Amino acid sequence: MKKLFSIFGDPVSHSRSPLMHNSVFTHLHYNACYTRTHLEDGTKLKETFLALGLSGANITVPHKEAAFHACDEVRGFANKVGVVNTIIKEGSKLIGYNTDADGFIYAIEKFHNIRTILIIGAGGTAKALATKFIEHNLNIIVLNRSDSRLAYFKELSCSAYNWSDFKLSSYDLVVNTTSAGLKDEELPAPKKLIESILDNTTYVADAIYGKMTPFLKIAHKKNIEYKDGADMLLAQGVLANELFTHKELDKKNIQKWMQHSFQL
Ligand code: NDP
């Protein structure tokens, strides 16, 4: 029987996940189809997943923390952070995983001598990245628009600031994990602050993919080496697809066909 998968998010129309996963399924004759579901209310995730008869799903902005609560069981790193981006149905249970953080670690492999990272944003993606970076013994600083989500990072022993109490230092890498720039032309923090931060970093990365965000435009103007979120998307997608197909497909083929879908 054909298996059905979906990505849930708000917004979700920008997502390349359907193209990536369908490209793999088609080329490897795996009997499955991957669609997208616009979900405004994260508390409706489980009932929508079950009503659609899905075998698995990915979760994107802003529902990754809601996805953690929607699962009957959460495994591995996702349990540590309380953030889920991949769900698999096992029997009648929804099982949650997180493949974002490993995806990002893979994506920044080509950046050298990374010791100190400034993460802008404090949502689900920031939590996953900060927790993974701390596991790698990196020095992490977090900057967010509001205070309400900073407690998690302080407990992790990161330095965590809002826009007004921020203390500038120097960084090897600055990562934008906010959704500023995703469907608008906003910067993740006031322009003056972003300018001074980027004057004090070697590398820049944005979790947003498929567009030159205002944040990346400033990095480009300052001749800083940067990357958007495409490699992260690819790497988390490969890991998610392995979970969807229970490793029935070869990882090299998954990566090859996902990469191919970027040209479609
Ligand atoms: P969340 O909704 O969990 O968190 C959003 C964060 O962005 C919060 O810290 C929020 O601040 C901040 N924010 C939102 N709007 C603004 C704004 N206008 N100015 C400044 N800060 C803002 O989202 P996620 O962590 O799930 O996703 C964040 C981004 O990362 C999305 O753009 C998503 O597409 C991208 N992403 C890409 C991936 C990839 O594979 N390339 C994987 C995962 C995510 P506050 O706390 O003050 O509300």
Side-chain angles (χ1 to χ4, degrees):
M1 205 171 82
K2 202 178 196 92
K3 290 181 174 175
L4 184 63
F5 299 89
S6 185
I7 179 151
F8 289 92
D10 177 25
V12 78
S13 59
H14 68 284
S15 174
R16 283 200 201 154
S17 291
L19 264 179
M20 281 166 41
H21 289 282
N22 282 327
S23 183
V24 175
F25 295 152
T26 305
H27 278 99
L28 300 170
H29 306 293
Y30 193 79
N31 192 14
C33 179
Y34 190 114
T35 184
R36 56 165 64 88
T37 308
H38 182 210
L39 184 76
E40 288 177 355
D41 180 354
T43 63
K44 300 259 163 38
L45 179 59
K46 187 172 181 176
E47 65 182 77
T48 313
F49 182 108
L50 293 173
L52 290 171
L54 300 177
S55 298
N58 286 121
I59 322 299
T60 189
V61 59
H63 300 315
K64 291 182 191 191
E65 284 157 307
F68 174 84
H69 297 292
C71 289
D72 299 296
E73 186 185 328
V74 175
R75 293 192 187 145
F77 181 73
N79 240 332
K80 198 167 174 181
V81 280
V83 179
V84 160
N85 79 322
T86 304
I87 295 178
I88 311 294
K89 188 155 181 266
E90 266 185 29
S92 61
K93 285 186 173 174
L94 302 197
I95 315 291
Y97 298 86
N98 186 298
T99 66
D100 277 337
D102 281 334
F104 192 78
I105 293 287
Y106 166 83
I108 60 164
E109 259 175 8
K110 288 196 180 95
F111 290 164
H112 301 294
N113 299 324
I114 303 292
R115 301 290 323 141
T116 301
I117 302 179
L118 172 67
I119 297 176
I120 310 180
T125 306
K127 273 187 178 176
L129 297 194
T131 310
K132 185 58 83 175
F133 292 152
I134 294 278
E135 280 182 6
H136 284 245
N137 291 320
L138 299 171
N139 177 29
I140 305 306
I141 302 133
V142 174
L143 168 65
N144 195 44
R145 173 174 67 177
S146 61
D147 273 331
S148 57
R149 293 159 122 165
L150 294 182
Y152 175 89
F153 299 91
K154 288 180 180 161
E155 266 177 40
L156 257 190
S157 75
C158 305
S159 310
Y161 305 103
N162 62 36
W163 293 351
S164 53
D165 67 6
F166 182 65
K167 289 183 186 60
L168 184 68
S169 53
S170 62
Y171 318 102
D172 301 311
L173 170 65
V174 177
V175 191
N176 173 33
T177 71
T178 76
S179 38
L182 178 64
K183 56 177 179 181
D184 51 43
E185 288 302 307
E186 286 184 38
L187 282 167
K191 189 158 191 257
K192 240 176 127 185
L193 197 52
I194 294 294
E195 292 270 2
S196 54
I197 287 168
L198 295 197
D199 284 335
N200 285 281
T201 186
T202 311
Y203 299 107
V204 161
D206 202 321
I208 296 171
Y209 58 85
K211 75 178 272 197
M212 188 72 172
T213 58
F215 177 69
L216 288 186
K217 280 182 191 161
I218 297 183
H220 180 64
K221 229 175 168 178
K222 291 184 184 291
N223 279 321
I224 302 168
E225 193 175 331
Y226 66 87
K227 59 163 54 196
D228 75 357
D231 286 347
M232 177 185 180
L233 176 75
L234 176 71
Q236 64 76 27
V238 171
L239 297 171
N241 196 285
E242 280 195 311
L243 290 166
F244 292 158
T245 61
H246 307 285
K247 301 200 179 184
E248 287 166 52
L249 306 181
D250 183 274
K251 193 177 196 150
K252 279 208 184 96
N253 281 331
I254 297 177
Q255 178 151 355
K256 185 168 97 191
W257 293 117
M258 282 194 175
Q259 197 109 47
H260 174 80
S261 78
F262 283 179
Q263 283 131 39
L264 296 175

